[in-house]
Amino acid sequence: MSIVRVREYFRRLGMEDRIQEFDVSSATVTLAALALHCEPQRIAKTLSFMVGEEAILVVMAGDVKTDNAKYKKEFGTKARMLSAENVTELIGHAVGGVCPFAVNEGVKVYLDESLKRFETVFPACGSGNSAIELTIPELEKYSGSEKWVDVSKLME
């Protein structure tokens, strides 16, 4: 179970007690915002893509979607999300709990500029009913991100 991997990861950092688990689902932006009693845009959703033969993660604000032109400019290829079946195998977390922590070896993490509007955000913690509140510098540090990218646009 990937929440166990994430718990262990944050336990080693002395932060396990900051993980929140809910009696309700937080597997979507809307459900997570309800569970956390926060604005949907502060949910840090983690999307999984294939770039060539590599799986990558892009963490972005809950009120944006991938901008295909920006994505292609940044990564040199069309945005191709992983299928639900491949997410667990390639990333190490199942859909609904995908997060940038304790991922499989070689998975690169990118943070989208849309997150910089907030002091804190709530990424999942490896299950469809968990989250952690992190400052933007904490998210940058603990996700092991490669760099900041601008690959999103506000949803209409």
Side-chain angles (χ1 to χ4, degrees), residues 85-104:
E85 301 81 43
N86 290 332
V87 172
T88 305
E89 176 189 343
L90 296 175
I91 303 299
H93 303 303
V95 171
V98 177
C99 65
F101 319 111
V103 296
N104 290 345

Side-chain angles (χ1 to χ4, degrees), residues 15-37:
M15 297 173 54
E16 178 186 15
D17 61 333
R18 290 177 57 186
I19 295 174
Q20 300 177 54
E21 287 190 82
F22 315 107
D23 293 331
V24 296
S25 176
S26 60
T28 67
V29 169
T30 302
L31 292 173
L34 288 170
L36 287 155
H37 308 289

Side-chain angles (χ1 to χ4, degrees), residues 87-139:
V87 172
T88 305
E89 176 189 343
L90 296 175
I91 303 299
H93 303 303
V95 171
V98 177
C99 65
F101 319 111
V103 296
N104 290 345
E105 186 77 26
V107 175
K108 292 180 180 172
V109 176
Y110 298 89
L111 302 179
D112 186 73
E113 294 282 335
S114 61
L115 296 165
K116 289 185 174 179
R117 298 176 283 160
F118 311 105
E119 285 188 36
T120 63
V121 293
F122 296 92
C125 286
S127 70
N129 67 326
S130 64
I132 188 169
E133 184 175 16
L134 296 174
T135 65
I136 298 306
E138 285 175 329
L139 177 63

